[in-house]
């Protein structure tokens, strides 16, 4: 059996203009491997169809410029060059003529290249989209291997060109981000009261992760911080993630505001921010909403208390009561009691009493007649916790009450976001080192992919790109 595949190009009145044979397939006795098209045949067929279709499209487009649009006089040809254009189905070499302007325009001997002016990029939007999407999810090398395996791209893309395409997309996204502002609270309270009912509050969790730096000067300076977060809309709208390199980004507040705005934030809507209390995230979340509430994450408090409890446990196993140190068991029991009291008071939002119990912990350590290994470490931990709680006193609520009312008290849901946004692409099983600029740009495309926004972004840039990637074809 022979199968001939032809392309028929029709004019606007439906009359066939060109009939071109694209491929000839031969089949013998039926075997599973010969049923339908093989991958190699499909790639060859798509490449051939792409060449024929693009050549016809270019010919029709350039035909509009062969004569002057004002006087219909033929335009003189100055020369011709070749444009390399990369598509989903192979690299194409397109002839691009340069034509002189008609003398009736009185432009002198000016010339232009219509095809060059049309194709400002040497890569189709669809190919750029796929490269950006896959490179945002996995390494550049694996992305190249995947696309080359299923599409007739041969050796036409490589990790370096893919990275260049991704960074171009990320820079365009960054260029469309508005300017940074000190605050984003707009209007007045009277206007906010007239807005529709806002619905349930937003919950925004913020946390950080670390990425291996390319310009490592020492072992301790080999990493830089990436801030990431998740905004959850309780009813409808789901969740969205965002991320940026802390010391590189100049628009962190704008970035967070745009995420909330895309989820339908109103000025009369409550927003609950949970973070680890660091200066960076505390400043970023300020003045974004008049109904915002800023809370210190319980997880970061209890994590410190757990470490202190382990230090006390180590001291108990090290110190044994004897005749010379009869007070040791009493002091260790007091340490346990006061540490539990610190946790209880913080859980119920009673910061002053918690700080007093920390002072009692210091006194207990001074009363120890011996100097166990963990004594210095525990003293340092108590001092650090006191400073941490003192600087975040205004952001410590009654966690117990919030917990009983099913309200969020922890950024545990952001821990998975750190893994999803940062670790899987930048750290785990990845041997790459990153510049701050390169990591920041990749983060912007990665969050667009994870939020399922990248396709819509391309639709906004290129009106011909279909939003849902499903096109109904007319079948004869």
């Amino acid at each position: 059996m022979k199968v001939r595949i032809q392309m028929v190009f029709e004019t606007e009145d439906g009359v066939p203009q060109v009939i071109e044979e694209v491929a000839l397939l031969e089949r013998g006795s039926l075997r599973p491997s010969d049923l339908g098209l093989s991958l190699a045949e499909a790639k060859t067929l798509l490449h051939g169809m792409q060449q024929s279709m693009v050549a016809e499209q270019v010919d029709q487009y350039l035909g509009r410029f062969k004569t002057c649009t004002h006087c219909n006089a033929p335009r003189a040809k100055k020369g011709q060059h070749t444009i390399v254009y990369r598509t989903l189905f192979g690299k194409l070499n397109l002839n691009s003529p340069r034509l002189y302007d008609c003398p009736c325009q009185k432009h002198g001997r000016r010339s232009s290249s219509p095809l060059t002016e049309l194709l400002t990029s040497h890569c189709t939007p669809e190919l750029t989209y796929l490269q950006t999407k896959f490179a945002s999810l996995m390494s550049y090398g694996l992305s190249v291997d995947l696309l080359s395996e299923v599409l007739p791209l041969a050796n036409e893309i490589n990790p370096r060109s893919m990275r260049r395409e991704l960074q171009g997309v990320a820079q365009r996204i960054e260029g469309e981000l508005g300017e940074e502002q000190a605050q984003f609270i707009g209007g007045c309270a009277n206007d906010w009261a007239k807005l529709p009912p806002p619905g349930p509050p937003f919950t925004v969790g913020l946390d950080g992760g670390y990425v291996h730096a390319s310009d490592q000067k020492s072992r301790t300076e080999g990493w830089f911080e990436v801030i990431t977060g998740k905004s959850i809309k309780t009813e409808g709208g789901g969740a969205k993630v965002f991320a940026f390199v802390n010391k590189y980004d100049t628009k962190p507040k704008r970035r967070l505001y745009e995420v909330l705005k895309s989820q339908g934030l109103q000025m009369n809507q409550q927003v609950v921010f949970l973070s680890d209390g660091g200066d960076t995230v505390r400043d970023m979340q300020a003045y974004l909403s008049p109904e915002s509430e800023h809370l210190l994450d319980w997880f970061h408090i209890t994590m410190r208390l757990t470490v202190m409890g382990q230090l006390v446990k180590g001291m108990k196993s090290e110190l044994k009561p004897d005749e010379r140190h009869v007070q040791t068991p009493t002091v260790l029991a007091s340490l346990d009691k006061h540490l539990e009291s610190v946790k209880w008071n913080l859980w119920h939002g009673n910061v002053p009493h918690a700080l007093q119990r920390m002072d009692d912990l210091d006194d207990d350590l001074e009363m120890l007649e011996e100097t166990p290994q963990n004594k210095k470490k525990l003293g340092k931990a108590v001092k650090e916790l006191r400073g941490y709680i003192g600087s975040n006193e205004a952001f410590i609520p009654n966690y117990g009450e919030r917990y009983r009312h099913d309200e969020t008290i922890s950024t545990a849901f952001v821990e998975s976001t750190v893994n999803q946004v940062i670790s899987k692409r930048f750290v785990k099983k990845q041997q790459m080192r990153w510049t701050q600029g390169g990591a920041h740009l990749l983060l912007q495309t990665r969050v667009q992919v994870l939020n399922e926004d990248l396709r819509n972004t391309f639709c906004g840039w290129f009106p011909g790109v279909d939003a849902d990637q499903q096109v109904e074809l007319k079948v004869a």
Side-chain angles (χ1 to χ4, degrees):
M1 180 179 71
K2 293 184 178 181
V3 180
R4 295 184 183 274
I5 300 175
Q6 297 177 329
M7 294 187 70
V8 180
F9 300 97
E10 297 181 353
T11 57
E12 292 182 358
D13 57 5
V15 178
Q17 182 181 14
V18 178
I19 299 177
E20 185 175 336
E21 185 169 305
V22 179
L24 173 63
L25 304 178
E26 295 185 2
R27 289 290 187 271
S29 57
L30 184 61
R31 297 176 300 179
S33 59
D34 292 332
L35 188 62
L37 292 171
S38 68
L39 178 59
E41 289 171 338
K43 290 164 74 171
T44 302
L45 179 59
L46 287 171
H47 182 62
M49 292 176 65
Q50 185 80 311
Q51 280 185 315
S52 299
M53 184 173 177
V54 171
E56 189 65 26
Q57 286 179 297
V58 169
D59 283 344
Q60 287 193 16
Y61 178 75
L62 292 177
R64 296 158 41 191
F65 298 91
K66 290 181 179 179
T67 59
C68 176
T69 56
H70 295 85
C71 67
N72 287 328
R75 294 175 62 182
K77 186 175 179 180
K78 181 181 180 180
Q80 180 172 291
H81 64 281
T82 301
I83 296 177
V84 175
Y85 198 60
R86 293 175 175 82
T87 74
L88 281 173
F89 309 115
K91 181 174 68 175
L92 305 176
N93 295 313
L94 309 178
N95 292 325
S96 176
R98 176 167 285 277
L99 305 173
Y100 283 111
D101 291 351
C102 183
C104 75
Q105 299 302 302
K106 298 180 181 180
H107 291 160
R109 296 291 287 173
R110 276 176 35 182
S111 63
S112 61
S113 180
L115 191 60
T116 302
E117 293 173 359
L118 175 69
L119 305 178
T120 55
S121 171
H122 289 272
C123 188
T124 61
E126 289 280 5
L127 179 55
T128 300
Y129 166 76
L130 283 183
Q131 290 187 86
T132 302
K133 179 175 181 178
F134 284 104
S136 298
L137 296 174
M138 55 189 177
S139 71
Y140 296 115
L142 286 176
S143 301
V144 169
D145 291 342
L146 174 62
L147 293 179
S148 299
E149 184 72 22
V150 299
L151 295 173
L153 297 174
N155 298 318
E156 294 156 20
I157 58 174
N158 56 64
R160 182 173 295 180
S161 66
M162 183 172 286
R163 180 177 60 186
R164 187 168 55 247
E165 290 291 333
L166 179 143
Q167 291 184 348
V169 171
Q171 287 167 352
R172 185 168 180 178
I173 293 172
E174 288 289 275
E176 294 179 353
L177 191 64
E179 295 298 321
E180 183 73 322
Q181 297 175 197
Q183 66 172 14
F184 288 88
I185 299 175
C188 66
N190 291 333
D191 296 331
W192 304 333
K194 298 175 184 177
L195 292 172
F202 282 80
T203 301
V204 181
L206 302 164
D207 207 344
Y210 287 87
V211 172
H212 205 177
S214 61
D215 55 345
Q216 181 177 356
K217 298 177 182 178
S218 67
R219 189 176 182 84
T220 58
E221 297 177 358
W223 303 81
F224 58 84
E225 186 179 21
V226 172
I227 301 296
T228 188
K230 177 183 281 189
S231 172
I232 299 176
K233 191 175 181 180
T234 309
E235 291 182 4
K240 285 197 173 185
V241 298
F242 57 92
F244 59 90
V245 175
N246 180 25
K247 293 184 178 180
Y248 180 86
D249 189 23
T250 58
K251 302 178 181 180
K253 189 171 290 190
R254 165 66 72 175
R255 198 174 307 281
L256 174 54
Y257 174 74
E258 291 297 335
V259 170
L260 295 174
K261 184 180 175 182
S262 69
Q263 292 180 289
L265 175 68
Q266 298 179 179
M267 284 295 107
N268 62 342
Q269 190 157 23
Q270 186 181 8
V271 184
V272 179
F273 291 98
L274 292 116
S275 68
D276 61 1
D279 294 337
T280 302
V281 293
R282 191 190 304 149
D283 294 341
M284 182 181 66
Q285 64 198 21
Y287 305 110
L288 285 175
S289 170
E291 297 294 329
S292 62
E293 184 180 8
H294 306 275
L295 306 179
L296 182 64
D297 167 38
W298 173 250
F299 170 77
H300 285 85
I301 294 177
T302 191
M303 182 173 61
R304 287 169 166 79
L305 292 171
T306 300
V307 171
M308 293 167 65
Q310 294 297 323
L311 292 174
V312 173
K313 187 179 292 186
M315 292 167 63
K316 284 182 177 179
S317 62
E318 182 181 349
L319 300 178
K320 303 296 181 182
D322 55 36
E323 295 180 355
R324 294 180 302 161
H325 307 103
V326 293
Q327 296 296 324
T328 295
T330 305
V331 174
L332 292 176
S334 182
L335 281 171
D336 256 342
K337 176 184 175 183
H338 289 139
L339 188 58
E340 189 62 32
S341 180
V342 169
K343 185 174 184 177
W344 189 92
N345 281 289
L346 289 175
W347 175 253
H348 291 90
N350 194 340
V351 178
H353 283 184
L355 294 174
Q356 289 177 13
R357 298 291 83 79
M358 290 181 210
D359 291 337
D360 293 337
L361 282 171
D362 272 333
D363 293 341
D364 290 338
L365 286 173
E366 291 295 328
M367 292 175 61
L368 272 178
E369 300 168 299
E370 297 179 84
T371 307
Q373 185 178 357
N374 289 340
K375 180 178 179 179
K376 189 175 181 180
K377 292 181 181 179
L378 182 58
K380 182 180 178 182
V382 171
K383 183 179 179 181
E384 289 177 351
L385 180 63
R386 203 183 198 297
Y388 181 69
I389 297 301
S391 61
N392 290 285
E393 183 174 357
F395 310 113
I396 297 179
N398 187 326
Y399 295 104
E401 185 177 349
R402 288 183 64 86
Y403 180 76
R404 288 189 293 274
H405 287 87
D406 250 353
E407 297 176 348
T408 309
I409 62 172
S410 170
T411 58
F413 65 94
V414 188
E415 295 298 318
S416 62
T417 305
V418 173
N419 183 52
Q420 178 189 34
V421 177
I422 303 173
S423 300
K424 284 186 177 179
R425 179 63 179 89
F426 293 85
V427 183
K428 292 183 177 178
K429 297 183 181 179
Q430 305 295 324
Q431 302 301 316
M432 291 183 66
R433 296 182 179 183
W434 302 85
T435 62
Q436 293 188 19
H440 178 78
L441 292 176
L442 179 53
L443 283 167
Q444 304 321 306
T445 60
R446 183 168 174 81
V447 298
Q448 286 245 335
V449 173
L450 296 175
N451 291 334
E452 299 182 354
D453 289 335
L454 185 64
R455 189 72 185 181
N456 291 332
T457 297
F458 270 76
C459 290
W461 292 346
F462 309 100
V465 175
D466 188 67
D468 59 8
Q469 298 179 274
Q470 293 182 0
V471 179
E472 291 186 6
L473 301 178
K474 296 179 180 179
V475 181

